[in-house]
Amino acid sequence: MTKSITDDLKSGALVYHRLPRPGKLEIQATKPLGNQRDLALAYSPGVAAACEAIVADPAQAAELTIRANLVAVVSNGTAVLGLGDIGPLAGKPVMEGKAVLFKKFAGIDVFDIEIDAREVDRIVDVVAALEPTFGGINLEDIKAPECFEVERRLRERMGIPVFHDDQHGTAIIVAAAVTNALALMGKSIEDVKIVASGAGAAAIACLNLLRELGARVENIWVSDIEGVVYKGREKLMDPYKAVYAKDTNARTLGDIIGDADIFLGLSAAGVLKPEMVQRMAAGPLIMALANPNPEIMPEEARAAKPDAMICTGRSDYPNQVNNVLCFPYIFRGALDCGATAINEPMKLAAVRAIAGLAREAPSDVVARAYGGEVGTFGAGNLIPSPFDPRLILRIAPAVAKAAMETGVATRPIADFKAYEAELSRFVFRSGLLMKPVFDKARQNPKRVIYAEGEDERILRAAQVVVEEGLAFPVLIGRPAVVEQRLERFGLSLKPGKDFELIDPQSDPRYRDYVATYHDRTGRKGVTPDAARTIIRTSNSAIAAVALERGDADAMICGVEGRFTTHLRHIRQVIGLKEGANGLAALSLLITSKGPLFLADTHVTADPSPDELADMVCTAAEHVRRFGLEPKIALVSHSDFGSHDDDQVVKMQKALKIIRERAPGLEVEGEMHADSALLPELRERVFPQSRLQGVANVLIMPNMSAANIAFQVIKVLADALPVGPILVGQARPAHILTASVTARGVVNMTALAVVEAQEQDEERNL
């Protein structure tokens, strides 16, 4: 973990954890406490009714408390990934991170519990005593071999699921990858030779689960830091790895790798040498899972064995083995059916669900999210992406069904169709909505010009953009100022190498830029003298001209100055795309209940029906870039004809134009905002609505309504804003606002790059 962290990332991570308040978690009330009666219901005397109900029937705790959706992430900090035995206090940030993943991916609440206990007896006693509080226990970062005994004894003592993710999460994903690799090999798991490097908790769990799938122990060979695990070896042995000990004279990994069909690496960087790979069987599966640097780099493995299938633990290579693929969804399914354990059939159900999803054709939504680059099942796609939104829809029901079939479900699910519909609410609610946009941007980075290149937020964003491979920055700014600020902020960017710098005072292209600007604006009242002054003094004008001339592929401006001033340069120089009636601003809010787009928040004060129709169609294009199907509501003070005035008529005309122009679009209106967001209310008011489910795009009748709604929701919902996203312009040009953060600049950069990629694709058709 620490080897790959740069100074910039380290500094940013500390700021991220420290501000605006320490840590990554908080506890929020889920019920109102707005008056004396609420207080009486929540605490004394009303709470006694809930207590008495649980005394009479303990199962009522699942309906009256948070317990059925609450998991403890428990660690003693003795085996923190990449850091080792750093202790429980230093391990707390990792456990908070695990808690965030549970919540973001599967809506599961977590208390992270770091315990100062190293002895198995004490760990077991402490954790077992917590059973009344939690619906499940996730053991984390406890060193082997103690972790095996801790889990075994807790499973015997506790009536709730106990799951050591370091073991079983990795094992489940490995087993899914092996299942699919064997299908491609045309081999049976009973016959293949498996060689493991590493014999810690994860490695032993992987081998044990592969045995559950049919692998034979006589075909499994294990090597660790002391060499081959052989019969009679005494150093660093324990009963768990002794199962795999062989009666052999082989002592090194190189001695046992010959003719191996599968290499399982959970050890250290560089231990698998190219010459070892060459001696493996034809078309092998190489799982080099050491982090941050694998046992062999994929390029080296492929050079040694071109037909090898390769998995790593890294996100920058295909087939990433990442525990987030399964643990949130396994717990989701187990909690929802009241499972008393996570047993082997439940794990195998997860294996089959993950392997099966990899074989499915990518959905249209996923394909759009990843820019049409999502590959079909094969050597490079043995396992799904950790961010495939269908994971929860496949794994949680499979786990719940297995729990029911094996008799460990205390609250069996009666209607799985309804259950799967309920699970769908978690899809795209994770706050990781930008992930597919970032992935597509990395596939073909573009040149993005930043008008305010001296601003701290732009410089920090440029550092991230370069490190993440999202784009090549072009900064407008004075060289001495940019250099001095890079040094002050501790950034490592180098002009000419990491970014291009345009000096607004002395760039040799000044005359050409003036000529282009005057050519675009000469019939709009701009004289040659005025054009020279504007290009000398307006960075957003320079950026717009650079974009128009092809010196950049996209532009970002607006962190300083007035929105309308930047907008004027984009209107005059970039202009409208073919067929567009005007520009609009689409703003995204990522809330705890999912993403919500609003328009027009910044551009047109009172849009016409045609402009509203344009807005809807172009907004739909942008929404699909996030892998979402647009569900659009035309919002008004009128609810399906309850009022009749000019603003209402305007929205009704807009709807008619939209349906003529885009008949397949899921759009409805005019309606109240609550009708848009509450399907059950809309069903009562207007049951024949074409809009199904919760709207994710709200089109407002005017800019005042849109901007006010945006600002109110942002603050009250503590939502993450993205944008504004300018729509309707001929080239990717976006105007941010003075409140934007460096993170916001990075998000908009990725969006602008994807937009530029799509324009290139359209031109090449």
Side-chain angles (χ1 to χ4, degrees):
M1 183 183 293
T2 54
K3 289 182 182 177
S4 63
I5 190 169
T6 65
D7 289 341
D8 297 311
L9 185 59
K10 183 177 180 179
S11 173
L14 291 174
V15 171
Y16 174 87
H17 282 78
R18 184 176 289 123
L19 299 173
R21 53 187 295 182
K24 300 188 284 280
L25 301 170
E26 67 177 358
I27 296 174
Q28 289 187 333
T30 60
K31 302 292 168 61
L33 286 172
N35 53 43
Q36 185 62 37
R37 178 168 174 77
D38 288 344
L39 184 60
L41 292 171
Y43 199 54
S44 180
V47 73
C51 296
E52 290 167 350
I54 295 170
V55 170
D57 178 9
Q60 287 292 304
E63 298 182 16
L64 298 173
T65 75
I66 192 179
R67 185 174 185 262
N69 195 55
L70 185 62
V71 166
V73 171
V74 181
S75 178
N76 66 355
T78 53
V80 179
L81 178 64
L83 298 172
D85 187 353
I86 60 174
L89 183 60
K92 186 173 177 62
V94 179
M95 304 315 127
E96 285 189 359
K98 193 81 170 192
V100 169
L101 295 178
F102 267 109
K103 186 66 174 180
K104 291 294 184 182
F105 282 96
I108 295 171
D109 295 303
V110 167
F111 291 160
D112 63 290
I113 298 177
E114 295 74 34
I115 57 176
D116 186 10
R118 303 179 71 89
E119 303 81 10
V120 170
D121 287 346
R122 188 173 181 213
I123 296 171
V124 170
D125 286 341
V126 169
V127 177
L130 298 172
E131 183 169 349
T133 302
F134 296 101
I137 303 291
N138 183 92
L139 300 175
E140 192 78 17
D141 293 348
I142 300 172
K143 74 181 181 71
E146 289 89 336
C147 62
F148 299 113
E149 185 68 9
V150 167
E151 186 188 38
R152 183 187 67 80
R153 289 167 57 177
L154 286 173
R155 291 178 68 177
E156 290 175 354
R157 285 180 59 173
M158 302 183 79
I160 57 175
V162 178
F163 187 82
H164 187 202
D165 184 48
D166 300 330
Q167 294 181 56
H168 307 302
T170 302
I172 287 165
I173 303 160
V174 163
V178 168
T179 298
N180 283 339
L182 288 174
L184 294 173
M185 291 179 192
K187 296 180 181 179
S188 168
I189 193 167
E190 291 85 0
D191 301 326
V192 293
K193 179 180 178 181
I194 301 170
V195 174
S197 174
I204 295 299
C206 289
L207 298 177
N208 290 345
L209 192 57
L210 292 177
R211 287 171 58 201
E212 291 285 337
L213 288 175
R216 295 189 295 180
V217 71
E218 57 265 33
N219 292 339
I220 299 174
W221 295 72
V222 178
S223 175
D224 63 11
I225 195 170
E226 291 296 326
V228 172
V229 174
Y230 61 90
K231 289 183 178 179
R233 197 182 100 174
E234 297 181 358
K235 195 169 184 181
L236 284 183
M237 290 296 290
D238 59 61
Y240 304 98
K241 73 172 72 169
V243 171
Y244 300 100
K246 296 289 184 292
D247 188 1
T248 178
N249 292 323
R251 293 294 182 265
T252 68
L253 177 61
D255 293 338
I256 60 176
I257 196 68
D259 295 323
D261 299 284
I262 297 170
F263 170 80
L264 174 61
L266 286 153
S267 53
V271 301
L272 184 65
K273 307 301 180 185
E275 57 270 22
M276 297 181 190
V277 174
Q278 290 173 350
R279 292 192 285 114
M280 294 180 70
L285 172 63
I286 297 173
M287 308 194 77
L289 307 183
N291 261 324
N293 300 311
E295 285 80 1
I296 187 169
M297 293 301 291
E299 298 86 352
E300 293 180 287
R302 196 165 285 109
K305 203 83 167 175
D307 59 353
M309 294 174 277
I310 304 167
C311 299
T312 71
R314 293 169 55 135
S315 61
D316 51 347
Y317 290 100
N319 291 325
Q320 183 194 11
V321 175
N322 186 331
N323 287 14
V324 81
L325 268 165
C326 67
F327 74 80
Y329 317 122
I330 290 171
F331 269 96
R332 182 74 276 158
L335 292 172
D336 289 342
C337 70
T340 57
I342 295 175
N343 56 30
E344 293 306 307
M346 293 163 73
K347 295 177 203 171
L348 291 173
V351 170
R352 289 189 290 269
I354 294 168
L357 180 56
R359 299 186 191 200
E360 291 184 33
S363 70
D364 292 341
V365 173
V366 175
R368 278 196 300 270
Y370 286 86
E373 298 296 326
V374 179
T376 55
F377 173 61
N381 292 278
L382 296 174
I383 46 181
S385 161
F387 299 93
D388 192 315
R390 297 169 295 176
L391 283 164
I392 192 171
L393 304 177
R394 302 294 185 273
I395 299 174
V399 168
K401 285 177 182 176
M404 292 164 58
E405 290 167 359
T406 55
V408 299
T410 62
R411 297 190 305 277
I413 295 169
D415 185 345
F416 270 90
K417 186 175 181 180
Y419 177 54
E420 288 167 9
E422 176 71 8
L423 288 174
S424 66
R425 76 188 192 276
F426 295 112
V427 177
F428 297 111
R429 189 186 292 188
S430 69
L432 296 166
L433 194 67
M434 293 299 301
K435 178 66 171 57
V437 178
F438 276 57
D439 284 348
K440 188 179 180 189
R442 290 189 191 97
Q443 293 170 11
N444 184 15
K446 299 293 185 180
R447 294 169 61 87
V448 178
I449 188 166
Y450 300 86
E452 295 89 4
E454 298 175 1
D455 188 276
E456 177 182 356
R457 292 163 293 177
I458 296 296
L459 293 172
R460 291 193 181 278
Q463 179 78 49
V464 175
V465 164
V466 170
E467 288 182 352
E468 295 287 325
L470 300 174
F472 182 80
V474 180
L475 305 181
I476 301 176
R478 295 162 292 177
V481 174
V482 170
E483 184 177 348
Q484 182 265 332
R485 291 184 179 178
L486 287 173
E487 183 177 357
R488 184 201 304 172
F489 304 140
L491 302 177
S492 60
L493 291 173
K494 302 297 181 187
K497 176 187 174 185
D498 299 314
F499 66 94
E500 179 185 341
L501 187 62
I502 294 179
D503 184 351
Q505 298 177 337
S506 62
D507 191 278
R509 292 168 289 188
Y510 170 71
R511 293 180 182 274
D512 293 335
Y513 277 30
V514 169
T516 299
Y517 188 82
H518 184 258
D519 180 64
R520 298 290 294 171
T521 62
R523 292 185 178 275
K524 299 171 184 175
V526 178
T527 65
D529 285 343
R532 282 189 285 272
T533 300
I534 290 169
I535 292 298
R536 187 72 76 189
T537 59
S538 173
N539 286 8
S540 59
I542 296 172
V545 170
L547 179 59
E548 177 67 15
R549 288 169 50 87
D551 296 339
D553 302 300
M555 72 172 276
I556 302 289
C557 62
V559 300
E560 298 171 3
R562 295 169 62 90
F563 190 96
T564 52
T565 302
H566 298 292
L567 184 64
R568 182 173 67 250
H569 294 309
I570 290 173
R571 281 188 196 274
Q572 292 180 337
V573 178
I574 305 301
L576 302 177
K577 71 177 181 180
E578 186 177 353
N581 290 298
L583 300 176
L586 178 70
S587 293
L588 165 61
L589 290 168
I590 302 177
T591 77
S592 61
K593 294 186 176 181
L596 183 64
F597 296 82
L598 297 94
D600 174 5
T601 54
H602 288 81
V603 177
T604 306
D606 187 13
S608 68
D610 282 321
E611 288 173 323
L612 285 168
D614 269 5
M615 197 185 302
V616 166
C617 294
T618 52
E621 293 176 12
H622 277 279
V623 171
R624 291 191 179 105
R625 289 193 178 106
F626 293 89
L628 293 166
E629 280 296 346
K631 292 177 174 289
I632 304 170
L634 304 183
V635 184
S636 170
H637 64 282
S638 172
D639 204 23
F640 299 105
S642 62
H643 287 72
D644 185 12
D645 54 47
D646 290 344
Q647 289 290 305
V648 174
V649 171
K650 179 176 75 170
M651 299 303 272
Q652 293 170 342
K653 288 181 178 178
L655 180 63
K656 183 177 180 182
I657 296 170
I658 295 163
R659 288 189 171 159
E660 290 172 353
R661 207 185 283 182
L665 202 57
E666 191 172 339
V667 57
E668 187 59 271
E670 81 296 354
M671 69 181 78
H672 286 168
D674 54 358
S675 293
L677 300 174
L678 299 173
E680 61 276 14
L681 176 60
R682 185 169 65 250
E683 177 67 18
R684 290 199 301 268
V685 175
F686 192 68
Q688 59 268 46
S689 170
R690 294 191 189 181
L691 178 63
Q692 299 298 310
V694 178
N696 54 24
V697 183
L698 302 184
I699 302 296
M700 304 287 185
N702 55 62
M703 185 171 67
S704 291
N707 192 275
I708 292 168
F710 171 76
Q711 302 294 349
V712 169
I713 297 170
K714 180 177 71 172
V715 174
L716 293 184
D718 193 22
L720 171 66
V722 178
I725 304 165
L726 198 63
V727 299
Q729 73 279 28
R731 302 287 301 277
H734 297 285
I735 309 168
L736 306 183
T737 61
S739 63
V740 73
T741 62
R743 179 186 183 189
V745 176
V746 173
N747 285 340
M748 284 306 302
T749 298
L751 275 171
V753 169
V754 170
E755 194 176 352
Q757 291 172 350
E758 292 179 359
Q759 286 196 354
D760 281 352
E761 292 165 5
E762 290 172 4
R763 283 192 290 269
N764 292 331
L765 289 178

